[in-house]
Amino acid sequence: MMRFWLCLCVTALFAGSAMAHPHVWVDSQYRVTVDQAKIDKLEATWELDLFTSTSLIAEYDVDGDGELTGQEKLDMIDVLKSFENYGFFIKMKQDGADLLPEQVHVADVRIRDQMLWIRLAIDLPSPVNLETSTLSLAFGDDELYFAMEPLEEGLVRLSGALSEVCTPVEREATETSVAVWVDLTCQP
């Protein structure tokens, strides 16, 4: 019965009526591995706020061991698939033109420090050459139910052989739903 009410509450957050303030705060970050200038995939991580995390953990960590394993993890991932309807709040542009991911899926979900952490795998529709193009990344919920804020260390975290020559540049967002954009390029 609790699961029914939780799913109903999550669904209500996405209903058509706009609210004046967010209901869920999410610390978010893109993780980009740049072993070569052309990238065709990246990851994103979310850390849900304490209230939302506590509610979801209480419902899905059935054995109360502080970990999501087996069926617990599968059930949580299944609930998180509802974010597909909202594109997982991913905002991307290539050289200023909107770029929609080819595919996004929940790669993992974990409990860390009593918070729910979600890792998303993002496949781009075609490789983006960061030596010749700018990939702009942001998160934003146009309905304003979710406040998608960058992690304190930044919205984009780079790793890989070219991470030292790639430059993520933060810029102010003009959209109400977006906290910040980061433009990513790599110049050898």
Side-chain angles (χ1 to χ4, degrees):
M1 185 62 164
M2 175 69 170
R3 183 168 294 174
F4 168 77
W5 285 109
L6 181 62
C7 289
L8 185 62
C9 289
V10 169
T11 303
L13 289 174
F14 298 112
S17 62
M19 303 303 276
H21 58 85
H23 296 278
V24 178
W25 280 260
V26 181
D27 290 335
S28 53
Q29 184 178 63
Y30 287 99
R31 295 182 178 188
V32 184
T33 301
V34 281
D35 285 323
Q36 57 185 0
K38 288 184 181 179
I39 61 166
D40 58 359
K41 62 185 172 188
L42 55 141
E43 290 187 342
T45 59
W46 293 355
E47 178 188 32
L48 301 183
D49 66 75
L50 184 59
F51 178 78
T52 304
S53 292
T54 302
S55 298
L56 289 169
I57 292 167
E59 176 64 21
Y60 289 94
D61 182 16
V62 177
D63 60 10
D65 67 352
E67 294 182 35
L68 296 172
T69 56
Q71 192 61 45
E72 296 171 335
K73 185 175 282 210
L74 294 174
D75 289 345
M76 178 63 77
I77 288 172
D78 195 45
V79 165
L80 296 172
K81 286 180 183 177
S82 66
F83 292 112
E84 289 174 354
N85 297 330
Y86 305 93
F88 291 94
F89 309 124
I90 293 169
K91 306 272 186 193
M92 292 192 298
K93 295 179 183 283
Q94 182 177 356
D95 297 324
D98 288 339
L99 179 67
L100 294 176
E102 175 82 20
Q103 179 181 3
V104 180
H105 70 274
V106 178
D108 196 15
V109 60
R110 295 186 184 277
I111 300 170
R112 249 195 266 167
D113 300 325
Q114 301 178 4
M115 307 289 266
L116 196 61
W117 281 79
I118 301 161
R119 186 170 51 92
L120 304 172
I122 304 167
D123 294 329
L124 300 177
S126 60
V128 174
N129 186 337
L130 295 174
E131 289 180 339
T132 59
S133 290
T134 299
L135 179 62
S136 302
L137 302 167
F139 284 103
D141 173 21
D142 297 330
E143 306 295 325
L144 303 179
Y145 295 112
F146 285 74
M148 306 296 293
E149 295 294 326
L151 284 179
E152 191 173 310
E153 68 184 56
L155 181 65
V156 174
R157 179 176 157 193
L158 300 178
S159 63
L162 298 179
S163 63
E164 295 298 320
V165 298
C166 296
T167 307
V169 177
E170 192 174 293
R171 67 177 161 89
E172 197 170 313
T174 58
E175 304 88 345
T176 304
S177 65
V178 174
V180 65
W181 280 93
V182 169
D183 297 328
L184 179 60
T185 59
C186 295
Q187 301 301 318

